[in-house]
Amino acid sequence: SAPHPPAPPGATGGGGRYDPWAVPGVPPGGEVRIVEVVPRRRLIVVGALLVALLAGCVGGAVGMYVERTGGLVGVTLPQADPESPERPADSVAGIASATLPGVVTLHVRGAGAQGTGTGFVLDDRGHILTNHHVVSPAARGGRIVVTFNSGERVNGRLVGGDGGYDLAVVKVDGVSGLRPLPLGNSDSVRVGDPVVAIGSPFDLAGTVTTGIISAKERPITAGGRGADTDVSYVNALQTDAPINPGNSGGPLVDTKGRVIGVNSAIRSGRGADDGQAGSVGLGFAIPVNQAKRVAEELINTGSATHPVIGVSVDMTDRSEDGARVGGDDDRPGVVRGGPADKAGIRDGDLITAVDGARVRNGEELIVRIRSHRPGDKLELTVERNGKERKVTVTLGTAGRE
């Protein structure tokens, strides 16, 4: 037989014999490790699959984020560029800007009562006009705190007031930079004219509302609910500009920023839980022509005069036919020597109109007369025994109150 080739190193079995199945380099009886050799091409394919899976997950997450947020960056919304704060003088904003510095808030305490109202500056001497019912609690030793639009607070003192007109003047001292509001002419106002009301409704100082003149010469009465409360008779301007409790005494101004009325009363529904009713679009203002005369008298003398015709009328007659002249045991129906007596008016006459404007009762007659000055001449329509005639009366002056 042919000789066996020499055994490769480490490839011999026991006894030095050649073992064709031996693993080179492993001694006989040693541990053999089996290593699977993966082809390089398969590794590349697996890696590509892993990268694709990862990319899919990342892409899905990014897609969801973009769908929810609209992009990969923060959202920026479009906005107008800053504009000049200036507004036309006859715009509501322009009127408010010019008027607010002359409007004040009044906090009043006294006689077991307290309240908030509004007023406006009349002159650079510190006189402020407001409603009598706003400051009446301070008439007997109370306190009036005046807060300006700038936030400055000072004490005020009552110069004088008149419950029949529901007007009063308060004065502040030692205040510089006062901004008096210009006064307009209420006789020039027409129904439909735009107006702006400024005040402190529910103590919200500097509140501005707008509307129109809804009616003129609206006879209204206010007050008289308490023992010490006077009845006010006003031939009012009616407006739908929202007016609420706290607006009383504030200015009603025209499109030129001129005061044409003093906001004084509202007609409203029942109040909320706190008992304070709100606006339903029926507000009433004292015409500035009347307010100007009364304010001047209050500043100059401390009281105001009342025009009278010298008759007593039946205030309980609600027939709406007119104002019935009639007295009682304590006072005559017609004051002897008074304006009505000189004009030929007699007890029992029915006054149905003043200067052509109908009056339906005694309250409306007083309202019409109070809107004039002592010395003015009025034409009264008088009915007696079914016959109607017209007489001219020169208004007299009642004693100061």
Side-chain angles (χ1 to χ4, degrees):
S1 63
H4 292 286
T12 57
R17 294 176 298 179
Y18 171 70
D19 185 356
W21 308 110
V23 177
V26 177
E31 180 181 359
V32 178
R33 293 182 180 181
I34 300 176
V35 178
E36 181 181 4
V37 178
V38 181
R40 183 175 183 181
R41 183 176 179 181
R42 184 182 298 177
L43 290 175
I44 294 174
V45 172
V46 172
L49 290 175
L50 291 175
V51 170
L53 179 61
L54 179 61
C57 294
V58 172
V62 171
M64 292 177 61
Y65 177 81
V66 170
E67 180 181 0
R68 292 179 179 179
T69 65
L72 295 175
V73 297
V75 174
T76 301
L77 300 176
Q79 184 180 23
D81 293 332
E83 298 178 354
S84 169
E86 299 299 324
R87 295 292 184 271
D90 60 351
S91 68
V92 175
I95 295 168
S97 177
T99 305
L100 280 167
V103 180
V104 302
T105 301
L106 304 172
H107 292 94
V108 182
R109 184 187 301 270
Q114 61 182 355
T116 301
T118 307
F120 60 93
V121 180
L122 290 173
D123 56 29
D124 56 8
R125 298 172 57 188
H127 292 112
I128 294 169
L129 186 62
T130 187
N131 282 140
H132 178 266
H133 75 261
V134 170
V135 296
S136 58
R140 292 182 291 273
R143 185 187 182 195
I144 302 173
V145 177
V146 180
T147 304
F148 289 85
N149 186 249
S150 63
E152 182 179 6
R153 295 166 61 93
V154 297
N155 289 326
R157 59 182 177 85
L158 183 61
V159 173
D162 189 286
Y165 289 115
D166 196 18
L167 290 168
V169 173
V170 172
K171 191 174 188 301
V172 295
D173 298 310
V175 179
S176 60
L178 293 173
R179 297 280 295 274
L181 298 189
L183 304 183
N185 191 320
S186 50
D187 288 342
S188 302
V189 174
R190 294 294 178 265
V191 174
D193 283 349
V195 291
V196 175
I198 301 179
S200 304
F202 301 106
D203 207 12
L204 299 172
T207 296
V208 177
T209 57
T210 184
I212 63 169
I213 293 294
S214 305
K216 292 182 61 177
E217 298 183 351
R218 187 72 81 189
I220 66 167
T221 58
R225 294 183 176 85
D228 298 329
T229 305
D230 294 325
V231 178
S232 303
Y233 300 92
V234 181
N235 203 24
L237 298 173
Q238 180 181 323
T239 180
D240 66 347
I243 296 173
N244 290 285
N247 272 111
S248 293
L252 185 70
V253 302
D254 61 15
T255 54
K256 295 184 179 180
R258 303 172 302 192
V259 180
I260 59 171
V262 181
N263 300 319
S264 301
I266 60 173
R267 177 67 61 84
S268 65
R270 295 186 178 276
D273 293 339
D274 59 2
Q276 291 184 303
S279 171
V280 293
L282 293 174
F284 303 96
I286 301 169
V288 73
N289 289 15
Q290 178 175 330
K292 176 180 179 294
R293 177 184 71 82
V294 174
E296 290 171 345
E297 291 188 349
L298 293 175
I299 293 171
N300 294 327
T301 68
S303 59
T305 58
H306 292 200
V308 295
I309 62 174
V311 299
S312 296
V313 294
D314 184 359
M315 302 297 287
T316 64
D317 185 358
R318 296 295 176 179
S319 63
E320 295 194 347
D321 292 331
R324 180 73 65 181
V325 177
D328 52 33
D329 296 337
D330 296 329
R331 55 183 179 178
V334 179
V335 177
R336 180 173 297 181
D341 186 31
K342 293 178 181 179
I345 296 176
R346 299 291 178 260
D347 200 340
D349 285 352
L350 187 69
I351 301 174
T352 59
V354 176
D355 281 344
R358 182 188 174 193
V359 296
R360 298 174 296 178
N361 50 53
E363 290 180 347
E364 290 192 7
L365 176 62
I366 296 174
V367 166
R368 300 291 185 192
I369 293 172
R370 288 277 178 90
S371 65
H372 295 274
R373 295 172 178 266
D376 287 351
K377 294 182 182 297
L378 301 181
E379 182 184 75
L380 304 183
T381 302
V382 180
E383 183 180 309
R384 182 188 301 166
N385 298 325
K387 295 182 179 181
E388 190 175 271
R389 65 192 184 100
K390 300 181 186 298
V391 300
T392 298
V393 175
T394 300
L395 297 180
T397 304
R400 296 183 181 275
E401 296 183 359

